[in-house]
């Protein structure tokens, strides 16, 4: 697999895992409020909890996020080493930097807010549900936008692969016939 393809696959996996973590975390948050206040949660949350208990699913999904993040960094590092063209004016787009900085700031803030709200009980969780939900969603959106901007940058760049150094049969026959 080429370095570019591995980096793009890792970025797509990061987006999917982060969105999955966000959905499971918000479902667990809603379910815990419903259990404590005896209001119940929405049907999709109750269905998900019936299929896989959210108290077991949330730690598993949250463990998967750092693993995916490490794989993504490794794949992007491999891609960066194999880049062929590094013109001086080629830089990561401003959108990627802005969203990346927002993601780096919002993700820990959202995690601390979520843990703080969860530790204080269901009534408090209900009180701060809107701001906690918006903070967690903002962190997921910033991470997704940053990963998409980096994926676009990776997609437009060139990488070295052993196959690209060899002359293909089609290239040789085109040169021999005088065509380009």
């Amino acid at each position: 697999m080429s370095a570019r393809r591995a980096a793009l696959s890792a970025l797509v996996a990061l987006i999917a895992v982060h969105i999955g973590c966000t959905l499971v975390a918000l479902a667990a948050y809603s379910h815990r409020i419903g259990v404590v206040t005896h209001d119940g949660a929405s049907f999709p949350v109750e269905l998900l909890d019936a299929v896989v208990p959210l108290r077991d699913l949330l730690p598993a999904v949250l463990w998967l996020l750092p693993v995916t993040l490490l794989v993504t960094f490794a794949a992007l590092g491999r891609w960066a080493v194999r880049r062929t063209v590094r013109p001086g004016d080629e830089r990561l787009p401003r959108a990627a930097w802005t969203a990346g900085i927002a993601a780096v700031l919002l993700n820990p803030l959202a995690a601390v807010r979520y843990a703080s709200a969860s530790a204080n009980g269901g009534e408090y969780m209900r009180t701060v549900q809107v701001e906690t939900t918006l903070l967690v969603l903002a962190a997921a959106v910033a991470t997704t936008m940053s990963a998409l901007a980096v994926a676009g940058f990776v997609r437009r760049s060139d990488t070295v692969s052993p196959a690209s150094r060899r002359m293909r049969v089609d290239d040789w026959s085109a040169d021999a016939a005088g065509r380009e």
Side-chain angles (χ1 to χ4, degrees):
M1 177 180 278
S2 72
R4 182 186 335 181
R5 187 171 292 156
L8 291 173
S9 298
L11 286 166
V12 168
L14 177 65
I15 291 169
V17 167
H18 200 288
I19 290 172
C21 282
T22 301
L23 293 176
V24 170
L26 292 178
Y29 193 87
S30 174
H31 181 31
R32 180 152 181 222
I33 290 174
V35 167
V36 172
T37 61
H38 305 293
D39 289 343
S42 64
F43 176 72
V45 172
E46 293 294 336
L47 183 64
L48 179 62
D49 187 53
V51 173
V52 179
L54 289 170
R55 68 180 174 276
D56 299 333
L57 183 61
L58 185 60
V61 172
L62 291 178
W63 177 84
L64 185 62
L65 186 60
V67 171
T68 309
L69 195 58
L70 288 173
V71 169
T72 303
F73 282 143
L76 284 173
R78 181 173 176 243
W79 163 78
V81 168
R82 292 181 175 254
R83 288 184 60 197
T84 56
V85 180
R86 290 189 176 98
D89 61 342
E90 183 184 42
R91 295 189 179 158
L92 197 60
R94 182 172 291 158
W97 283 107
T98 306
I101 291 169
V104 166
L105 295 175
L106 284 174
N107 277 299
L109 185 64
V112 167
R113 182 65 180 160
Y114 183 91
S116 170
S118 298
N120 287 326
E123 289 299 327
Y124 180 74
M125 287 173 69
R126 175 179 269 187
T127 305
V128 297
Q129 183 177 12
V130 172
E131 70 183 59
T132 304
T133 301
L134 288 176
L135 192 56
V136 169
L137 288 174
V141 167
T143 302
T144 302
M145 298 235 350
S146 176
L148 287 174
V150 171
F153 182 73
V154 169
R155 192 167 172 250
R156 288 188 301 271
S157 69
D158 292 327
T159 57
V160 174
S161 67
S164 66
R165 292 186 203 134
R166 287 184 258 142
M167 182 178 252
R168 293 187 316 225
V169 173
D170 295 338
D171 294 339
W172 179 76
S173 61
D175 290 340
R179 299 179 305 222
E180 289 192 355

